[in-house]
Amino acid sequence: ASKKSSRRPTLEAAEEVQEQVQEEPSHCVLEGSQRPMLLKVSAVVDELTYECNTKEINFSPTVLFQTRVHRFQLKSTSTIPLPFEWRITAAPGLAGVATQAYSISPSRGEVLAGASQEFTVRFTPKDVESFRCMLECVIPSLSSMMEPLQVSVDATALRPWCHFELSPTDYRSRRRSDAPLDAKYRIVEFESLGTRVKNTKRFYVLNPTAESFEFSWQEEQTRTIEHEDPFRCLTKRGVILPGK
C-alpha cells in the first residue's frame, strides 16, 4: 500500500498528526509476480527542548517613526525539528495598541534539530505611551521540564517637534570631506542624467505635536561667488497643523 502524508498541520493541531492511507487503484495481480520484500522503517522520537539566553529586551529611547533593532538566538537542543510561533501581548493594564509598535521576524516556522535561529525584533513607535509587552513563543508539545519561552520587551518613545519623511541614503559614508556632516542635518539626494535637466524631489514634514507651527526655509550659508542657485524650493513658508 502506498502512503501519502497529509498537509503540515498548524501549531494548534500539531499533536494530532496522522497519516492518511489511500486506497489501492484498480489493478490485476500477475500470477507468479509476488515475492516477499523487507521494508526498513526508522523513526526518531524526542521531547522538544531549547536554549535561549535572552529573557528581556530594553530598547533605548527612540524618536517617533524611527526604528530600533535587537537580535537574539534560539537554539533547538532536540533531535527533531522545533516548531515555533511568536505572539506579542501587552502587559496587564495596558492597551493592545502598544503591541503594534513591535514586530518580530521570522514570526513562525521551525528550527532544525541542533540548529539555531536568529530573530529580529523591531521597535517603531508612532505615539508616546507605555510599551511594556511580552513576546510569547508557542512551542507545541514542549517538554514538561522546560519553561515556556517568554521575552519581556520595553521601550520609550520621544516626540520630536517635526518628522521628515525622507528616503534613506548612504551619502554620509560617501561624502568626500575631512569634516563629517553634523547629525542635525537631513539629506535630500538628487540624481541627474545630464545638465540643464529639471529634477524634482518631494517629501513630507509631519507635525506630531498638539500645536500648529509656522515654518520657513532659508539658506544657511551666504554664497561668496555669484552664480545661479541650482536648487529652488516651491514651498518656502507655511503652517503645519497638529497631526498633519
Side-chain angles (χ1 to χ4, degrees), residues 9-98:
T10 61
L11 293 177
E12 291 79 2
E15 297 184 4
E16 301 178 0
V17 178
Q18 297 180 352
E19 287 192 348
Q20 297 178 351
V21 180
Q22 294 183 344
E23 297 182 357
E24 289 282 358
S26 56
H27 63 283
C28 296
V29 179
L30 299 178
E31 185 177 355
S33 64
Q34 296 178 333
R35 61 186 179 87
M37 178 179 294
L38 296 178
L39 179 63
K40 183 179 180 180
V41 179
S42 63
V44 178
V45 179
D46 195 5
E47 292 185 319
L48 292 174
T49 57
Y50 69 87
E51 286 182 1
C52 183
N53 297 325
T54 301
K55 300 298 181 184
E56 184 177 5
I57 300 174
N58 291 299
F59 287 95
S60 300
T62 306
V63 176
L64 294 184
F65 307 105
Q66 301 297 314
T67 299
R68 289 195 184 274
V69 177
H70 181 88
R71 294 179 175 84
F72 68 94
Q73 299 266 343
L74 170 65
K75 181 179 180 180
S76 170
T77 54
S78 304
T79 56
I80 56 177
L82 184 146
F84 65 85
E85 180 177 0
W86 287 98
R87 297 174 182 174
I88 306 176
T89 59
L94 297 181
V97 68

Side-chain angles (χ1 to χ4, degrees), residues 7-228:
R7 296 179 62 185
R8 178 175 294 180
T10 61
L11 293 177
E12 291 79 2
E15 297 184 4
E16 301 178 0
V17 178
Q18 297 180 352
E19 287 192 348
Q20 297 178 351
V21 180
Q22 294 183 344
E23 297 182 357
E24 289 282 358
S26 56
H27 63 283
C28 296
V29 179
L30 299 178
E31 185 177 355
S33 64
Q34 296 178 333
R35 61 186 179 87
M37 178 179 294
L38 296 178
L39 179 63
K40 183 179 180 180
V41 179
S42 63
V44 178
V45 179
D46 195 5
E47 292 185 319
L48 292 174
T49 57
Y50 69 87
E51 286 182 1
C52 183
N53 297 325
T54 301
K55 300 298 181 184
E56 184 177 5
I57 300 174
N58 291 299
F59 287 95
S60 300
T62 306
V63 176
L64 294 184
F65 307 105
Q66 301 297 314
T67 299
R68 289 195 184 274
V69 177
H70 181 88
R71 294 179 175 84
F72 68 94
Q73 299 266 343
L74 170 65
K75 181 179 180 180
S76 170
T77 54
S78 304
T79 56
I80 56 177
L82 184 146
F84 65 85
E85 180 177 0
W86 287 98
R87 297 174 182 174
I88 306 176
T89 59
L94 297 181
V97 68
T99 63
Q100 300 176 9
Y102 296 104
S103 65
I104 182 171
S105 60
S107 60
R108 64 185 304 166
E110 65 178 22
V111 184
L112 299 179
S116 295
Q117 173 68 55
E118 182 179 79
F119 295 94
T120 301
V121 182
R122 290 180 170 84
F123 173 61
T124 307
K126 296 183 179 180
D127 203 351
V128 177
E129 56 183 295
S130 178
F131 293 101
R132 287 188 294 111
C133 291
M134 185 71 69
L135 298 177
E136 300 178 353
C137 187
V138 180
I139 303 176
S141 304
L142 182 65
S143 171
S144 58
M145 303 297 293
M146 301 292 298
E147 292 289 335
L149 177 55
Q150 295 181 333
V151 180
S152 64
V153 291
D154 199 359
T156 302
L158 303 176
R159 188 188 301 276
W161 283 107
C162 61
H163 170 67
F164 293 85
E165 295 184 0
L166 298 174
S167 302
T169 175
D170 60 350
Y171 171 75
R172 293 181 185 275
S173 61
R174 295 185 286 103
R175 184 169 182 262
R176 297 179 180 179
S177 175
D178 296 334
L181 188 63
D182 195 305
K184 70 178 181 180
Y185 293 111
R186 301 293 183 265
I187 299 172
V188 178
E189 191 170 10
F190 289 82
E191 292 183 359
S192 182
L193 297 178
T195 59
R196 300 188 179 278
V197 177
K198 182 179 179 180
N199 300 279
T200 303
K201 281 282 187 176
R202 296 180 175 88
F203 62 91
Y204 291 93
V205 180
L206 174 67
N207 176 7
T209 69
E211 299 180 0
S212 301
F213 62 72
E214 298 181 358
F215 71 89
S216 64
W217 292 98
Q218 298 177 355
E219 187 175 3
E220 186 175 79
Q221 296 179 351
T222 302
R223 296 180 178 272
T224 58
I225 302 177
E226 293 294 334
H227 61 79
E228 182 182 358

